[in-house]
Structures are given as C-alpha cells and as structure tokens.
Amino acid sequence: MTRIASAETRSIPADGEPSPVPHAGHGAERAADVPVVQLDGVVRHFGGTAALDGISLSVRKGEVVGIIGRSGAGKSTLIRCLNGLERPDRGTIAIEGRDITGLSEAELQPLRRRIGMIFQHFNLLSAKTVAENVMLPLKIEGMPRAERRERAAELLDLVGLSAKADAYPSALSGGQKQRVGIARALAARPALLLSDEATSALDPETTASILALLKDINQRLGLTILLVTHEMEVVRGVADRVAVIDAGKIVEDGPVWSVFSAPKAATTRSLLGAIRPDLPPAIVAELAARGERVLGVDLVGPEAATLLAALSIELKAPVRLVHGGIDYIQGQSVGRFFITLPAGAALPQAIAFLTRHGAHVETTGHVPDHV
C-alpha cells in the first residue's frame, strides 16, 4: 500500500524544523484560517514597465487556483515573486502567514522547501535516474539515503511510475517526464505546489492525464495548487478558482464556473473565445440578411437544459437553436445558446421570460427599432 503523508502530517515552518500538527481547538482553527498564499498590493517594475501593478490575491489551503493571462501579462513575474526569486518593489507576499518580502536568501531557503515547482520543460537531470531525480531535493535537505529511497518509491507509486525508477529521462515520454517532475516537487511535502505552464509542451491526451493526476493529488493530500497558464482548458479541467491577469493587474477573479459562464472583463472574454461558443460570422451574416431576430442566452443551473423548451411554451411558438449548447463545469450546467425567434414573436416578452429565469440575454442580428 502506498504511504503518502498529507501536507498536514509533517508541517515544516520556515526554520526548517518539523512541527506537530496543531491539536483540535482554537489554535488549529486559527492555523486553518491562515491563507497559504496572501498577496497585498504587490508591485514589481522592470525599468518603466510595471510587470505587476497592485496584485492582491488570497489562496486558501486545499484550493486549486488558476492564474491565466496572455504572454507578457505578468504571470511569470508573479510566480518568481512567490518563490522569492524576484523581490517586489512594494506590497507584501505571505506564505503560510509569514511575510517573505524582507527575508534574506538564507532565510528563504527553508521556506522554499514548503513550495514545490513543476515546469513546462520538466527540468530533469539527464545523468540521474528517475528515482535519483525525485530524491535530489531530499539529498540537498540532508535526509538519510534509506529514507530518501523510501520517499521516492512512495511518490513514484503515487504518479504511476514505480516501474521506471531506474530509467533515465531520455527513455521517458513527455507525460512521464512531467510525472517525475511532479513527484520531485512533492518530495519535501510542500504546502504549496506552483505549476508554471506545466502542460504547454504536452499533447491534449497527455495534458488530460496530468490534470487528472494533479486533481487526485489535491484531493488526496489536501495540497494547495497554483496553476500559471495561458490555456483555459487547463483551468476548466482542474481549478476551483480562476484569476485573470492583464497588464500586471487582476481583472477578474471567481469560481471557474462563474467566470466561464459570464466573463466580465474583455481580456477574459478574449481568452475564452477558443472554448466558449460564439456565433460564427457566416451565420450572423445569413441571419441578418433574412432579417431574423437572434438572442444570445447565458444560463447556469439545472434550467439550462429545459429553458428553451419552456420559452417555446411561453411564446406559443417554436424557438430555433442555431448555435451553442451546454457544458458542465465544477458540477454546474453552463448553457450558452444562440436562438432565433419565430416571425411575430414578441421580443420583449422573450427577453423578460429569460431574464426572470436568471439568464443573461444579448441581442444580435436584426432587432426592430422600437425594441
């Protein structure tokens, strides 16, 4: 049986010494209330450019939070500030309640053992075996060899690579290399796992398997995970929350299902364009030429599957679905539909009905002047 300790089993504060898990009571409740990550007003300039411009973000224990944005938005600078490789010009960064912004390099070293990192290009040592790569952080920490080997065996079992312990990275596929990277990142039992574009170099099938592994690790170990990515599919597949960063600012933050169903920021809508249904221009032109009235309808919840049928009953006329459908995100039904109304149907009546049922409605195509 695999024996993997959770993040609570062996808590290591910044001085590097193990400490017991708090006993039940007020002390334990206070410890649980402390965010694993807390950023307040973080600013980082490079020359005259603000890579981070007043970033504030809180991540609770056990959350999986996606940080998403275009290239150059500030994602890489943010992750380097979190592990102490960059120092902010202003603001504070706290890891498990400890402000790291004023720590010396020596003081940062034990704290970094509380932060695991997985990378886009794996960063494995080619001259070391899979097991030796996983054991490396523990060797640096000074753990005895027998304990290192036992821990590596546990982690390779966790990521499904026990049979590859004595193989070298050159013999592994991309997905297997990333699994080794994940095992290595977990070696020192971190409180926080940072994923820096960890699936960008992988094909879609392998990406799905890595995301499933990260979600399993999150659920089994209660590990807090921060995913830095430009791929909305990655966020949808594993994250609980998503924060959208643009020009060094967080422009949107919320549960994944909420942000995906009703994005507020223009940046979010643009990033979602590849996976969120939109009315193709050819259909827009065809409907406009026929003078048809088109409604874009967004709705979250069980009614997403039945609302169009209910609207037909309300209008006493058929409603035609021309594009869109229902997605399922975090257990929520998220509907996005484009519909046309039959000739003579009352547009205000349709919009009022849909709005009463919690839908967000936009009009496109031909809309009469008096509406």
Side-chain angles (χ1 to χ4, degrees):
M1 179 181 295
T2 302
R3 295 185 294 109
I4 300 293
S6 74
E8 291 185 352
T9 306
R10 179 173 177 254
S11 177
I12 305 176
D15 59 11
E17 292 299 320
S19 61
V21 177
H23 295 293
H26 296 301
E29 291 172 3
R30 284 195 298 271
D33 288 341
V34 175
V36 175
V37 176
Q38 181 71 54
L39 296 91
D40 291 305
V42 174
V43 175
R44 180 69 170 108
H45 285 89
F46 293 100
T49 303
L52 300 177
D53 191 7
I55 294 283
S56 293
L57 180 71
S58 181
V59 181
R60 300 186 302 275
K61 177 176 170 54
E63 272 195 302
V64 181
V65 177
I67 305 292
I68 193 159
R70 301 186 183 95
S71 296
K75 305 187 303 295
S76 296
T77 302
L78 177 60
I79 210 167
R80 288 175 63 83
C81 285
L82 284 171
N83 60 25
L85 295 176
E86 294 282 353
R87 303 295 182 110
D89 300 318
R90 293 196 305 277
T92 60
I93 300 171
I95 305 295
E96 294 188 294
R98 184 174 186 185
D99 184 2
I100 70 171
T101 50
L103 298 183
S104 67
E105 188 61 28
E107 290 171 323
L108 278 171
Q109 289 306 316
L111 186 79
R112 286 193 180 119
R113 290 200 289 270
R114 301 293 289 150
I115 303 174
M117 281 284 302
I118 52 177
F119 305 91
Q120 178 179 1
H121 297 296
F122 322 127
N123 288 14
L124 302 180
L125 298 179
S126 60
K128 292 188 177 293
T129 66
V130 164
E132 288 169 341
N133 268 279
V134 175
M135 289 189 289
L136 185 59
L138 303 177
K139 182 177 181 179
I140 295 171
E141 186 179 314
M143 181 181 287
R145 179 173 177 80
E147 293 181 32
R148 297 200 305 266
R149 293 190 68 85
E150 181 181 10
R151 178 65 175 158
E154 293 173 353
L155 290 166
L156 290 175
D157 188 22
L158 177 68
V159 301
L161 287 180
S162 293
K164 299 290 186 180
D166 297 323
Y168 287 87
S170 60
L172 304 181
S173 67
Q176 289 172 331
K177 290 176 183 177
Q178 195 55 281
R179 287 173 180 267
V180 177
I182 292 170
R184 181 184 58 189
L186 297 175
R189 296 181 172 89
L192 173 66
L193 182 64
L194 299 179
S195 169
D196 187 9
E197 300 282 6
T199 60
S200 295
L202 305 176
D203 61 71
E205 184 178 1
T206 306
T207 292
S209 71
I210 294 297
L211 295 181
L213 174 62
L214 289 175
K215 193 64 178 177
D216 181 59
I217 289 169
N218 164 255
Q219 292 172 345
R220 291 176 61 179
L221 307 186
L223 184 64
T224 306
I225 302 177
L226 204 60
L227 299 162
V228 173
T229 182
H230 66 277
E231 299 173 289
M232 280 292 192
E233 286 283 10
V234 169
V235 172
R236 179 167 64 178
V238 71
D240 304 310
R241 269 174 59 209
V242 58
V244 183
I245 186 170
D246 184 41
K249 298 177 181 290
I250 291 180
V251 296
E252 194 155 0
D253 181 6
V256 172
W257 66 265
S258 177
V259 172
F260 275 47
S261 64
K264 297 178 177 60
T267 300
T268 312
R269 291 193 293 272
S270 176
L271 289 168
L272 279 169
I275 62 172
R276 190 168 183 260
D278 207 352
L279 199 58
I283 295 180
V284 172
E286 178 186 343
L287 296 174
R290 295 206 301 255
E292 294 195 48
R293 294 169 294 183
V294 186
L295 296 181
V297 182
D298 291 293
L299 180 66
V300 176
E303 283 191 303
T306 59
L307 188 61
L308 298 189
L311 177 60
S312 292
I313 294 172
E314 172 76 9
L315 298 178
K316 297 181 175 61
V319 173
R320 184 163 69 100
L321 174 66
V322 294
H323 192 58
I326 298 175
D327 197 0
Y328 295 91
I329 304 173
Q330 295 180 302
Q332 296 274 2
S333 299
V334 178
R336 180 164 172 79
F337 310 104
F338 292 90
I339 62 175
T340 61
L341 303 180
L347 185 62
Q349 180 186 1
I351 294 174
F353 177 84
L354 293 168
T355 303
R356 283 200 309 273
H357 286 77
H360 173 73
V361 184
E362 295 179 348
T363 56
T364 186
H366 171 73
V367 179
D369 294 337
H370 62 272
V371 173

